[in-house]
Amino acid sequence: MPVNKQIHLDNRPTGEAVASNFKLVSSDTPALQDGQVLVRHHFMSLDPYMRGRMNDAKSYAQPQALGQVMGGGTAGEVVESKNPKFAVGDKVVGMGGWQEYSVVDPNQPGALRKVDTTHVPLSHYLGAVGMPGVTAWYGLVKIIEPKAGQTMVISAATGAVGSAFGALAKARGCRAVGIAGGPDKCKYAVDELGFDACIDYKQHKDAASLSKALKEACPDGIDGYFENVGGMILDAVLTRMNAFGRIALCGMIAGYDGQPLPMTYPQLILTNRLKIEGFIVSEHMEVWPDALKELGMLVGTGKLKPRETIAQGVAAAPEAFLGLLKGKNFGKQLVKLI
């Protein structure tokens, strides 16, 4: 059996996460039991939610265990099978974690699913046609409930979730406005992702300045907002929300280091009778088939052109992950393992 390189969580961060929180280890891959398959990972997903799991704090998910493989999504190929439903060569997506190989029992619900790479590249099943894409779909369709002609705004607009959100909003006849960091990301959002406008938050030192830019980009106000960041950006958006607007709360990357994120204008929630709902996409598996079908069509027809930032080799995962938390990635952050 092959030697398997893995990244473990070695110790918990105090404040900002650092590379020394992680440890590269090698272990022998165990022999397969009946019903199991061995997957060789081609790609590993890096996602902001992983930062929250590094803390030993009460949350919607169990904290990442110390001395164990970092959890996360993977896409790869079956290289050995003792399960009649999976053959060697099948392309699959699962939660194999930060390692080169995983032994999986596909009979466990949600453990492994086959994917078709005829029209959709394997890596996209970790991004636009995977968990991030479904996250965008659920927040938009089930919480924001857009109507044609309305204005939809999303922070982290060029990331894996944001890029899918833009395409999904445009498909519903909405005006789509992104918020992203840097002129290159904003240009990509408009020119390639099809956003009607994109605001570079790095050009604004406070919520009042960003609010003014939002007023120009959203002259009819904001009907729906998808939140990935929090902090100053949320403060600015709240000042531009229309009455009875809806906010899907998915991420708070500005607060992942444990610092409080106060809200400046919470009274606007009442004044504008806003609906704000947080959600975890893995709790809504019933929508995944419909969402993945639409997302696959958008990618397959070229209406959604996801961009990827790819680090090479499992050892590169910690630095790539820390870069993701600082917005250094462009599009979906992956690690290529083969």
Side-chain angles (χ1 to χ4, degrees), residues 158 176 183-198 302-303 305 307 330:
T158 61
D184 290 346
K185 288 184 177 181
C186 285
K187 187 176 188 306
Y188 165 69
V190 174
D191 293 351
E192 294 188 48
L193 293 177
F195 279 87
D196 294 286
C198 187
K303 291 178 181 174
K305 298 172 183 171
R307 190 158 165 174
F330 206 135

Side-chain angles (χ1 to χ4, degrees), residues 9 59 156 184 218 231 268 271 291 296:
L9 182 63
S59 185
D184 290 346
C218 309
L268 292 173
T271 308

Side-chain angles (χ1 to χ4, degrees), residues 19 25 34 61 71 101-102 114 126 133 147 180 185-186 188 197 203 240 273 299-300 319:
V25 301
D34 283 342
Y101 293 86
S102 62
K114 294 182 198 177
L126 293 176
K147 295 178 177 62
K185 288 184 177 181
C186 285
Y188 165 69
Q203 297 297 313
R240 303 261 64 97
R273 287 84 83 206
V299 171
E319 288 294 349

Side-chain angles (χ1 to χ4, degrees), residues 282-304:
S282 58
E283 295 175 352
H284 304 282
M285 298 306 293
E286 74 283 355
V287 310
W288 282 55
D290 287 345
L292 290 171
K293 183 179 179 182
E294 181 177 358
L295 292 158
M297 285 180 62
L298 288 170
V299 171
T301 56
K303 291 178 181 174
L304 172 53

Side-chain angles (χ1 to χ4, degrees), residues 1-142:
M1 299 295 279
V3 172
N4 184 21
K5 290 182 182 174
Q6 308 172 320
I7 300 287
H8 289 191
L9 182 63
D10 188 58
N11 54 83
R12 300 199 187 279
T14 53
E16 192 172 311
V18 293
S20 58
N21 296 140
F22 304 96
K23 186 178 183 182
L24 176 66
V25 301
S26 296
S27 66
D28 292 330
T29 306
L32 295 186
Q33 310 275 326
D34 283 342
Q36 293 181 332
V37 299
L38 178 65
V39 179
R40 174 64 164 108
H41 303 149
H42 291 205
F43 295 95
M44 223 168 71
S45 177
L46 301 180
D47 300 282
Y49 78 83
M50 296 170 175
R51 174 61 188 84
R53 292 198 63 218
M54 291 170 70
N55 299 332
D56 188 11
K58 185 178 185 298
S59 185
Y60 61 87
Q62 285 291 108
Q64 168 67 44
L66 292 176
Q68 299 292 323
V69 177
M70 278 287 293
T74 48
E77 182 178 356
V78 174
V79 292
E80 187 182 345
S81 177
K82 289 193 174 181
N83 188 299
K85 296 176 184 174
F86 287 82
V88 170
D90 283 347
K91 299 298 191 295
V92 291
V93 174
M95 292 293 287
W98 294 21
Q99 56 183 343
E100 294 174 331
Y101 293 86
S102 62
V103 173
V104 185
D105 178 359
N107 296 320
Q108 297 290 323
L112 206 64
R113 64 185 177 95
K114 294 182 198 177
V115 294
D116 183 355
T117 57
T118 308
H119 302 293
V120 177
L122 180 62
S123 59
H124 286 356
Y125 286 104
L126 293 176
V129 195
M131 179 272 289
V134 180
T135 299
W137 191 96
Y138 186 89
L140 179 68
V141 175
K142 295 298 185 180

